Amino acid sequence: MSNNDRIMLMPLKPDSGYRMYDDTHVSQLKFILKAKALGFTLDEVASLMTMSGNCADVESMGLQKLKLIREKIAILQRLEHVIQDMTNSCKANHDPNSCPIINSLN
């Protein structure tokens, strides 16, 4: 069973081997792809697909995702500063046999 089979009903595979998708399948697949592009997991996408009329629940899920994204951004910004400082220390290094970045990792 593929990931998509868990969150949308796939048309049966006929003897010819080629599934025929109708507009509903295409719309569902577009929904899934857009939600995945926004960072939602397949489990979250499945939940979103069942909440279409409940804006408060969708908003809550969106706010949870936004909080997670902001936390990841903060972590990445801290890493950016650390690595920037490390590369700056390389610029100031005059010892060709010693690398401040490697030294800091040891």
Side-chain angles (χ1 to χ4, degrees):
M1 179 179 279
S2 74
N3 289 333
N4 287 343
D5 291 337
R6 289 185 283 168
I7 61 176
M8 67 182 273
L9 292 175
M10 302 295 285
L12 295 175
K13 194 173 190 179
D15 293 334
S16 67
Y18 297 102
R19 288 188 170 107
M20 299 300 294
Y21 295 90
D22 61 24
D23 290 341
T24 301
H25 292 109
V26 173
S27 293
Q28 288 176 337
L29 190 54
K30 286 180 180 179
F31 182 95
I32 293 165
L33 292 173
K34 287 177 182 178
K36 289 286 294 164
L38 291 173
F40 289 100
T41 66
L42 286 177
D43 287 340
E44 291 167 336
V45 173
S47 293
L48 286 169
M49 292 177 80
T50 65
M51 298 181 190
S52 61
N54 191 337
C55 194
D57 287 346
V58 174
E59 178 189 19
S60 176
M61 184 178 277
L63 290 171
Q64 289 173 354
K65 182 57 66 178
L66 186 58
K67 180 181 179 218
L68 184 65
I69 289 168
R70 288 179 174 155
E71 289 169 356
K72 288 179 181 181
I73 288 171
I75 290 168
L76 289 171
Q77 286 174 332
R78 285 192 297 274
L79 286 173
E80 177 186 28
H81 292 297
V82 168
I83 293 175
Q84 182 65 57
D85 290 345
M86 293 171 88
T87 57
N88 287 341
S89 68
C90 285
K91 291 177 190 172
N93 180 37
H94 299 293
D95 182 355
N97 297 317
S98 177
C99 174
I101 293 175
I102 297 297
N103 294 342
S104 70
L105 296 173
N106 284 327

